[in-house]
Amino acid sequence: MSEKNLASEITPREAYFDRRTVIRGGILAASAAATAVAYRKFNGVDLVDTNGKALKGLVKGVVKADEMTTPKRSITNYNNFYEFTTNKDGVAAASKGFKTDGWKIEVGGLVNKPKTFDLDDFRAIAPPEERVYRHRCVEAWSMVVPWAGFSVKKLLDRVDPQGSAKYVAFETLMDPKRFPNQSNSAVLDWPYVEGLRIDEAMHPLAIFATGLYGEELPPQDGAPVKLVVPWKYGFKGIKSIVKITLVDKQPPTTWNKRAPREYGFYGNVNTRHDHPRWSQATEQRIGEHGRRATLMFNGYADQVASLYTGMNLDEYF
Ligand code: MTE
């Protein structure tokens, strides 16, 4: 199936649900049907998480990509989560049974109201909103993912950043008993760390995802809390966050430390700056035939380009 056919057959979600019909045609029909079921579940009363409890809160906002949502089975079986394994197809099995009981998220640094949240407190910051975003890995594969979560800004407002806070640093749990690859420092420098400029973190599109396809975020996608910044490459989306620190200097980030010529601090989806070992002009959308053009800022340029006014995008990557 060509991309032309795909584009012409994609129906806006609202129209799709009004008609309640199944679009005919190969892969497209299968994924459209899967999407329909998931959304009815997500918007309906039988919204159930992986522990069998109802997910709290209502679905409020929708930021949608006008493309087919990637089937849940792909999103949850093709993952990068090096703490478990570097094999994308193996993360689901390796992370099975990962427990988030007693999880704490410590928020501090240059803030007036530092606070350590347990998961209930964290989730109570704001009701989950559905955010259907493009997800573009620096390795040039992509998906469209229906995350659930709330804007990072809502958390930052809670802790009241000081004027000197210029960046936000994020850290993944360090626990080699639960993350086997953390015993091996050759894989990566642990724990996984990431960062954003504070104005990037405050942008309404930047969210903490706690859910996926209307259910609690599964371990392989970064349970219980993953950062999602849809205009940046996937490596910025740090998983299983335990610490958030407001700082005045650009914080170190895992992939930039590992290979600074290949992975910048910004990590914006940037068609003007190829990876030294491959082009960033096109991408493989998981489940599609053929490659599609990569969009500047992953298609969110209208919303976020102003964050980078005056910066040379060939140079900053
Ligand atoms: N976070 C941690 N802690 N460890 C990781 O290995 N991989 C990153 C990012 N966050 C990673 C991480 C990369 S390279 C990508 S593309 C995304 O998570 C993958 O997210 P997904 O599995 O939900 O698609």
Side-chain angles (χ1 to χ4, degrees):
M1 193 185 297
S2 75
E3 288 188 27
K4 192 164 160 283
N5 282 342
L6 263 177
S8 64
E9 287 191 51
I10 290 170
T11 309
R13 189 179 146 214
E14 289 78 3
Y16 180 76
F17 286 111
D18 286 348
R19 289 193 288 114
R20 296 280 157 98
T21 55
V22 176
I23 301 165
R24 273 171 277 279
I27 295 168
L28 196 61
S31 55
T35 306
V37 169
Y39 280 129
R40 274 200 289 272
K41 246 183 99 187
F42 196 71
N43 290 316
V45 280
D46 62 335
L47 197 61
V48 168
D49 72 18
T50 45
N51 298 320
K53 292 183 304 198
L55 259 178
K56 285 181 215 133
L58 293 170
V59 179
K60 276 181 52 191
V62 175
V63 176
K64 82 190 174 70
D66 54 353
E67 291 141 43
M68 193 58 64
T69 306
T70 302
K72 185 178 164 190
R73 63 178 175 280
S74 303
I75 299 172
T76 56
N77 286 284
Y78 189 80
N79 301 97
N80 275 330
F81 203 163
Y82 279 22
E83 283 85 342
F84 288 109
T85 168
T86 54
N87 168 17
K88 293 188 217 315
D89 303 325
V91 179
S95 64
K96 212 167 171 230
F98 181 78
K99 295 269 183 303
T100 58
D101 301 347
W103 199 272
K104 297 265 192 295
I105 301 171
E106 183 189 336
V107 189
L110 301 170
V111 298
N112 293 321
K113 298 177 187 160
K115 181 172 163 68
T116 298
F117 295 82
D118 65 23
L119 272 187
D120 284 343
D121 292 342
F122 192 83
R123 291 197 185 106
I125 290 170
E129 298 172 15
E130 180 189 36
R131 302 288 186 100
V132 184
Y133 284 161
R134 293 182 202 89
H135 171 37
R136 171 49 160 95
C137 179
V138 74
E139 298 163 333
W141 54 266
S142 66
M143 300 182 179
V144 175
V145 184
W147 305 107
F150 57 83
S151 290
V152 173
K153 181 180 190 302
K154 296 213 163 121
L155 168 78
L156 296 181
D157 288 346
R158 241 340 145 77
V159 296
D160 191 14
Q162 295 171 1
S164 54
K166 302 289 181 233
Y167 294 88
V168 187
F170 304 87
E171 201 172 306
T172 293
L173 173 73
M174 181 72 190
D175 184 353
K177 287 202 191 76
R178 292 150 86 189
F179 287 141
N181 266 348
Q182 285 183 337
S183 306
N184 183 355
S185 59
V187 177
L188 278 176
D189 189 11
W190 308 112
Y192 197 100
V193 289
E194 257 306 334
L196 296 173
R197 239 173 37 197
I198 195 161
D199 58 336
E200 297 179 311
M202 289 290 212
H203 192 282
L205 288 183
I207 61 165
F208 289 117
T210 55
L212 172 70
Y213 260 114
E215 298 180 347
E216 267 186 22
L217 195 65
Q220 60 267 43
D221 288 286
V225 178
K226 177 192 200 284
L227 178 69
V228 177
V229 193
W231 69 94
K232 293 179 178 283
Y233 293 122
F235 69 85
K236 298 293 293 180
I238 181 173
K239 297 177 167 183
S240 305
I241 297 169
V242 289
K243 197 168 175 188
I244 299 165
T245 314
L246 285 276
V247 293
D248 59 356
K249 295 199 177 54
Q250 185 177 301
T253 56
T254 289
W255 279 102
N256 179 248
K257 282 192 286 180
R258 176 63 173 236
R261 285 185 53 256
E262 301 192 0
Y263 310 101
F265 170 79
Y266 282 92
N268 289 324
V269 176
N270 184 352
T271 47
R272 284 167 53 181
H273 188 98
D274 281 337
H275 189 280
R277 291 184 281 134
W278 58 83
S279 162
Q280 296 292 22
T282 64
E283 64 200 54
Q284 180 65 58
R285 178 68 51 86
I286 301 300
E288 276 184 8
H289 295 283
R291 298 179 72 81
R292 55 163 65 218
T294 290
L295 304 172
M296 193 65 185
F297 294 113
N298 208 19
Y300 302 99
D302 287 352
Q303 291 96 324
V304 303
S306 61
L307 290 170
Y308 309 102
T309 306
M311 278 174 63
N312 179 352
L313 295 175
D314 303 318
E315 193 182 319
Y316 285 91
F317 63 95

